[in-house]
Amino acid sequence: MSYFQKNVECMPRGELTALQGERLSALVKYVYERVSFYRAKMDAIKLKPSDVKSIADIVKLPFTDKNDLRDNYPFGMFAMPKKDVARIHASSGTTGKMTVVGYSANDLDIWATVMARSLTCAGVTRESTVHVAYGYGMFTGGLGAHCGAEKIGAAIVPASSGNTARQITFLKDFEATTLCCTPSYAAYIAESLAEAGYTAKDLKLQSGVFGAEPWSEAMRAKIEKGLGIKAYDVYGLSEIMGPGVSIECDAREGLHVWEDHFYPEILDAGLERVEDGKSGELVFTTLTKEALPLIRYRTRDLCTLDSSPCKCGRTHARMGKILGRTDDMLIVRGINVFPSQIETVLMQTGYVSTNYQIVVGREKSTDTMEVRVELNSDMFGDEVKKLESLRDDLEKRVYSALGLKVRVRLVEQNTIPRSEGKAARVIDSRKL
Ligand code: DLL
């Protein structure tokens, strides 16, 4: 088992809790002095910085959400003058106005460190070659993975996303051992590799570090087979840092949250904390960030938390795979549906590809849902009767998993748009 910072990653929980408490109380003082938004919020509830002494006091603090960042666009929530800011990223977001985030030089160093810890979990060492096919630019994926790999001392191929044929040439010729990109892009690369007449054996890849969007276990199995790798789920969000907030270790029983920097809480719909194992909204407090510290930031991501010890020896709590987002949950005829649930059903069949799209509409005031799926290449030439029975089978499977009648449409290969970044799985025309 290798670690990047064993003493921190395996710190006894008691020490970790004490460290979090110290950092939280310093953070609250810091934001009270420097960020008028937090000062006003704390004054409104008559909370003084000195009232926050330990991590348990975090429940006294107010929440922050994306709208607060948007209302203070671009730099209103920064705790530093712009001259001290070292880098700016922005997240376009699937809905609404852009969110701008900033980092001090120290923030960037911490980000590279947590990403280095994360890549180490996925087996990256200084001897590795890391191919980064997350987009470089304002999106945090590319540079986040890049700086983590650099911190380890690995060789980096900064491919960025796009031009899949060229990605395959690089992967082959430069003998990358780890691939970093979104899971949907990894699936696309695997598909293109096979189409180009290669197999996983033509590559030297051993692991993949995939995140930025939800993906199912079945999708994981498919990517692992296609690329001949072990795939790790990495999570993060720009507001808190970028990729590297949490990652799976070899045990792959949840994603270790680097809790010495990011304090996680899971809250129910009434914003009360829930116990370990119960799912709810993930909320983070940045314990060490200087440029844009955030207190109790509501991610809208739904998952569980587990603070029990892990087989790998790391003590940092593990979050479950993201189940979905409070804002991408579809309510179809009163039934809550997450795109990831549909994905799980589809992938379990073994006869559809990783490409699918969910189209929600409304006919005569009733919601309709159509799931468009591409069959695996070896199946499409089959006769109509067989295709019809596959379609019926899929509709039945979705119904038995979700209790929802949907229409399944089998479409020709390569008709659903491929994604080089985050996949757009849902078209909801009811909102148009
Ligand atoms: O997606 C940062 C990132 C880059 C993470 C590369 C991992 C790898 P944002 O663009 O700000 O940042 O989007 C953050 O993406 O709130 C989740 O809804 C979703 N997300 C990120 N990682 C995962 C994951 C980057 N592993 C939003 N599983 C988050 C599911 C994820 N959803």
Side-chain angles (χ1 to χ4, degrees), residues 88-107:
I88 290 165
H89 278 278
S91 134
S92 55
T94 36
T95 46
K97 197 168 152 187
M98 202 162 50
T99 311
V100 178
V101 298
Y103 306 79
S104 68
N106 195 45
D107 294 338

Side-chain angles (χ1 to χ4, degrees), residues 67-77 97-100:
N67 287 328
D68 297 324
L69 287 165
R70 289 183 178 147
D71 292 347
N72 290 284
Y73 175 91
F75 306 131
M77 300 232 346
K97 197 168 152 187
M98 202 162 50
T99 311
V100 178

Side-chain angles (χ1 to χ4, degrees), residues 61-188:
L61 289 161
F63 293 100
T64 315
D65 71 19
K66 211 176 184 77
N67 287 328
D68 297 324
L69 287 165
R70 289 183 178 147
D71 292 347
N72 290 284
Y73 175 91
F75 306 131
M77 300 232 346
F78 281 26
M80 279 187 152
K82 221 186 91 256
K83 68 178 172 55
D84 296 327
V85 169
R87 201 193 299 158
I88 290 165
H89 278 278
S91 134
S92 55
T94 36
T95 46
K97 197 168 152 187
M98 202 162 50
T99 311
V100 178
V101 298
Y103 306 79
S104 68
N106 195 45
D107 294 338
L108 290 177
D109 188 58
I110 289 173
W111 184 11
T113 303
V114 292
M115 197 56 211
R117 287 184 201 166
S118 304
L119 291 170
T120 303
C121 284
V124 174
T125 67
R126 63 175 308 284
E127 272 100 63
S128 307
T129 300
V130 179
H131 180 110
V132 182
Y134 284 117
Y136 279 63
M138 298 311 275
F139 176 54
T140 53
L143 280 166
H146 183 106
C147 295
E150 194 165 63
K151 189 99 181 162
I152 294 175
I156 305 165
V157 181
S160 195
S161 58
N163 199 339
T164 310
R166 203 176 59 144
Q167 302 273 359
I168 289 173
T169 306
F170 290 162
L171 283 167
K172 230 163 36 66
D173 296 354
F174 305 160
E175 303 184 332
T177 49
T178 297
L179 169 65
C180 302
C181 62
T182 58
S184 52
Y185 197 39
Y188 182 25

Side-chain angles (χ1 to χ4, degrees), residues 66 91-93 134 139-142 181-182 209-215 233-239 242-244 255 299-301 321-322 324-325 422:
K66 211 176 184 77
S91 134
S92 55
Y134 284 117
F139 176 54
T140 53
C181 62
T182 58
V209 178
F210 307 131
E213 63 185 5
W215 50 310
D233 191 0
V234 66
Y235 168 88
L237 63 166
S238 336
E239 295 87 332
L255 292 78
T299 66
R300 310 273 163 187
D301 291 324
K321 244 177 163 353
I322 299 288
R325 290 177 57 80
K422 300 188 192 229

Side-chain angles (χ1 to χ4, degrees), residues 41 130 146 228 243 247 263 288 292 303 324 326 363 376 378 400 420:
K41 278 216 163 188
V130 179
H146 183 106
I247 183 136
Y263 182 75
T288 50
L292 182 60
C303 69
T326 52
E363 277 167 25
N376 279 341
D378 48 331
S400 73
E420 294 164 353

